[in-house]
């Protein structure tokens, strides 16, 4: 399987199963559109006939180069992974937790998928006792895995700061004896940040996600305080202080959400950059169809055009020396995840689980509150293996639409929660999300090529 | 080559032999929280 596309005058051919990416000239691009997957040494007469506007020797030499790629397994290479059981290891220890330390929030964001913080389950704070049981749970169930990831999430996790501090301290205290290494992330709206919390986060969190939607008016239209005021002027100075004091080797993201109300979201990305942030992520909203900011298929042309505009803006900034990175345009074509990882992507439900303040376990943060997906509890160390197996069994081949998709080894089957929320079926890809993902990948690869050429 | 410049060669299949250690990031959890792109994650085994 190959995927051909052009962007801003650059022509690409992706060989899906090998991961090869080729930039080609006009003649080779035209020839590649007429190829079949069983290439022969000689260029077929029908290709010469179809491309009569090109000199015969040009078509012949372009075909010869393409045939060379075919012989070396970089064009129409075979899908070796269909017998997926040979590649996916049996058993998948749980090694990552999303700790919902606070099912409460001090913002009232209009688009919140967590029902303004409590996931529809009532406002509560996770006691340290439950967090400790969750840490013990993941240590017990992580088998030989060394790296354990724990995210402090909510609601707003800084409302449970005491639990966060005690949990980090406890996990660190058992690292040596358990042979594990913990990595911590916190996602915060910033409202409760002060100098002490900033220092703590920068000292203890491997990653911090700072929620900010972009331009002041865009942010404040969605991200309001409990009293209905905009949050921008409160949070931005705190985020700036945090990033300024943070070790540049450690990760952070300024992360926003775009909706149908700001389809010119490239301006929001640039607005965040202009405030002094260089690791950026602005992502499509997940919402119900009846929301007036819901993204729908009719929005796709505008979204695609905006992603392309964003590539121009990023390229211009980078050429000026700015080190801006946009999360969904980051792609590692050489050193990325292995193909075994790419076969089933997200580990929700079997490698990664979310834990509520009450200790209940769900496949991920987006399933919290959906009772049919409740997997057990860290309080009594129970885990429904049936649900875990259901999630572990999904991959790019069980998701039938993914089988024939050129992006399958880049996105790895997408998001089970999005699939379920939109289609009621974990294996049925969320079509709108797929289209946006494919466009982002094309942009990401374009950026690689454009930067190589410049 | 005159017509083709290869940006990345066939690297994916080579990763099958040594891959699958399971130490890498397992979901969108440490980053975006809503839309996963596996290809932008890091390999822990390099």
């Amino acid at each position: 399987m190959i995927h051909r596309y052009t962007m801003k005058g650059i022509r690409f051919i992706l060989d899906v199963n090998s991961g090869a990416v080729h930039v080609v000239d006009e003649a080779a691009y035209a020839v590649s559109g007429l190829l079949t997957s069983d290439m022969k040494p000689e260029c077929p007469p029908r290709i010469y006939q179809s491309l009569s506007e090109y000199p015969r020797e040009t078509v012949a030499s372009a075909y010869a180069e393409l045939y060379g790629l075919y012989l070396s397994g970089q064009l129409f290479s075979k899908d070796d992974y269909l017998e997926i059981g040979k590649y996916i290891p049996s058993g998948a220890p749980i090694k990552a937790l999303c700790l919902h330390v606070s099912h409460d929030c001090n913002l009232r964001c209009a688009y919140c998928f967590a029902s303004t913080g409590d996931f529809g389950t009532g406002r509560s704070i996770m006691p340290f006792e439950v967090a400790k049981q969750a840490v013990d749970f993941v240590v017990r169930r992580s088998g030989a895995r060394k790296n354990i990831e724990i995210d402090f999430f909510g609601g707003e996790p800084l409302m449970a700061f005491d639990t966060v501090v005690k949990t980090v301290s406890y996990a660190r205290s058992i690292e040596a004896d358990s042979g594990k290494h913990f990595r911590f992330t916190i996602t915060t709206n910033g409202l409760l940040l002060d100098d002490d919390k900033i220092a703590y986060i920068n000292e203890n969190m491997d990653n911090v996600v700072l929620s900010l939607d972009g331009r002041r008016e865009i942010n404040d239209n969605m991200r309001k305080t409990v009293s209905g005021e905009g949050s921008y002027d409160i949070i931005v100075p705190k985020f700036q202080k945090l990033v300024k004091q943070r070790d540049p080797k450690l990760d952070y993201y300024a992360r926003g959400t775009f909706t149908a109300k700001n389809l010119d979201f490239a301006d929001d990305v640039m607005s965040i950059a202009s405030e002094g942030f260089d690791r950026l992520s602005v992502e499509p909203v997940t919402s119900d169809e009846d929301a007036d900011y819901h993204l729908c298929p009719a929005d796709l042309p505008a979204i695609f055009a905006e992603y392309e505009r964003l590539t121009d803006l990023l390229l211009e900034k980078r050429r000026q020396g700015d080190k801006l990175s946009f999360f969904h345009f980051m792609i590692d074509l050489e050193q990325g995840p292995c193909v075994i990882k790419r076969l089933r992507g997200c580990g929700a439900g079997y490698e990664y689980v979310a834990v509520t303040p009450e200790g209940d376990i769900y496949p991920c943060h987006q399933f919290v509150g959906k009772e049919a997906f409740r997997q057990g509890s860290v309080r009594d160390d129970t885990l429904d293996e049936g649900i875990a197996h259901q999630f572990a069994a999904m991959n790019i081949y069980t998701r039938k639409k993914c089988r024939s998709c050129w992006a399958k080894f880049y996105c790895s089957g997408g998001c089970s929660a999005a699939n379920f929320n939109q289609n009621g079926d974990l294996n049925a890809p969320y079509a709108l999300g797929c289209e946006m993902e494919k466009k982002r990948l094309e942009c990401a690869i374009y950026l690689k090529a454009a930067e190589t050429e410049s | 080559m005159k017509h083709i410049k290869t940006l990345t060669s066939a690297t994916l299949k080579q990763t099958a032999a040594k891959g699958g250690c399971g130490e890498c990031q397992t979901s969108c959890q440490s980053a975006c929280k809503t839309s996963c792109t596996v290809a932008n994650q890091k390999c822990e085994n390099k």
Side-chain angles (χ1 to χ4, degrees), chain A residues 78 95 151 207 283 347 351, chain B residues 3 13 22 24 26 29-30 32:
Chain A
K78 289 196 168 54
K95 56 168 206 150
D151 299 351
N207 192 9
E283 310 198 13
E351 285 187 324
Chain B
H3 300 279
K13 292 194 177 186
C24 58
T26 184
Q29 91 275 16
S30 292
C32 57

Side-chain angles (χ1 to χ4, degrees), chain A residues 192-350:
Chain A
L192 290 176
L193 281 175
D194 57 25
D195 288 351
D196 289 344
K197 291 189 181 73
I198 286 172
Y200 181 84
I201 287 170
N202 282 340
E203 197 168 315
N204 290 282
M205 298 292 154
D206 297 87
N207 192 9
V208 54
V209 181
L210 310 168
S211 300
L212 173 67
D213 278 358
R215 290 163 289 181
R216 179 186 279 103
E217 64 273 21
I218 297 297
N219 183 85
D220 287 353
N221 188 42
M222 284 288 177
R223 303 185 66 81
K224 295 180 189 299
T225 64
V226 175
S227 58
E229 305 295 316
S231 58
Y232 189 92
D233 289 330
I234 306 170
I235 59 175
V236 169
K238 296 180 179 191
F239 287 164
Q240 287 169 327
K241 184 179 267 189
L242 185 148
V243 169
K244 194 174 177 185
Q245 294 176 4
R246 189 163 178 78
D247 181 343
K249 292 195 289 294
L250 293 173
D251 277 338
Y252 83 87
Y253 281 97
R255 184 229 183 268
T257 298
F258 74 83
T259 74
K261 294 193 169 187
N262 61 317
L263 294 177
D264 55 350
F265 56 87
D267 286 346
D268 293 294
V269 176
M270 288 300 131
S271 173
I272 299 172
S274 73
E275 293 283 13
F277 304 98
D278 60 4
R279 302 179 206 181
L280 316 169
S281 179
V282 173
E283 310 198 13
V285 70
T286 56
S287 61
D288 294 329
E289 282 183 12
D290 53 359
D292 64 353
Y293 51 81
H294 182 67
L295 295 170
C296 63
D299 295 322
L300 282 176
I303 293 170
F304 291 171
E306 196 63 3
Y307 276 131
E308 287 203 23
R309 189 167 77 91
L310 184 56
T311 63
D312 289 339
L313 294 169
L314 289 171
L315 210 49
E316 188 184 336
K317 286 280 187 190
R318 289 181 192 173
R319 282 173 177 160
Q320 291 168 357
D322 286 1
K323 291 180 179 170
L324 290 187
S325 65
F326 181 69
F327 181 72
H328 278 115
F329 287 171
M330 288 160 56
I331 191 165
D332 188 342
L333 296 175
E334 297 285 352
Q335 302 286 317
C338 63
V339 71
I340 296 166
K341 165 73 180 180
R342 293 173 192 240
L343 293 172
R344 59 179 178 177
C346 180
Y350 61 98

Side-chain angles (χ1 to χ4, degrees), chain A residues 2 4 13 26-40 43-54 59 63 66 75-76:
Chain A
I2 64 170
R4 305 163 61 250
I13 305 174
E26 186 184 334
Y29 192 76
V31 172
S32 70
L34 298 168
L35 298 175
T36 55
S37 59
D38 56 342
M39 288 183 76
K40 302 288 186 288
C43 180
R46 63 177 176 80
I47 292 183
Y48 289 118
Q49 287 159 14
S50 298
L51 299 177
S52 57
E53 68 271 34
Y54 292 94
V59 174
Y63 184 90
L66 290 163
L75 200 67
F76 297 113

Side-chain angles (χ1 to χ4, degrees), chain A residues 160-194:
Chain A
F161 192 64
D162 185 54
T163 300
V164 172
V165 172
K166 287 178 177 168
T167 306
V168 170
S169 176
Y170 175 66
R172 291 279 182 240
S173 76
I174 62 170
E175 273 188 322
D177 286 348
S178 62
K180 306 294 179 187
H181 173 62
F182 289 93
R183 290 175 179 159
F184 299 104
T185 297
I186 193 162
T187 300
T188 180
N189 65 31
L191 228 53
L192 290 176
L193 281 175
D194 57 25

Side-chain angles (χ1 to χ4, degrees), chain A residues 377-421:
Chain A
S377 172
V378 299
R379 305 207 72 159
D380 55 11
D381 193 28
T382 51
L383 185 74
D384 184 328
E385 298 290 347
I387 293 177
H389 284 142
Q390 182 188 7
F391 278 78
M394 292 187 292
N395 55 66
I396 56 173
Y397 300 107
T398 64
R399 292 179 162 142
K400 291 192 176 78
K401 285 187 179 170
C402 298
R403 283 186 182 206
S404 55
C405 176
W406 66 264
K408 62 188 173 190
F409 290 115
Y410 295 101
C411 97
S412 301
C415 171
S416 297
N419 296 352
F420 184 79
N421 289 339

Side-chain angles (χ1 to χ4, degrees), chain B residues 3 6 8 10-11 16-17 20 23 25 27-28 31 34-35 37-39:
Chain B
H3 300 279
T6 293
T8 305
T11 54
E23 289 291 350
Q25 184 185 328
S27 76
C28 66
T34 53
S35 44
T37 301
V38 171

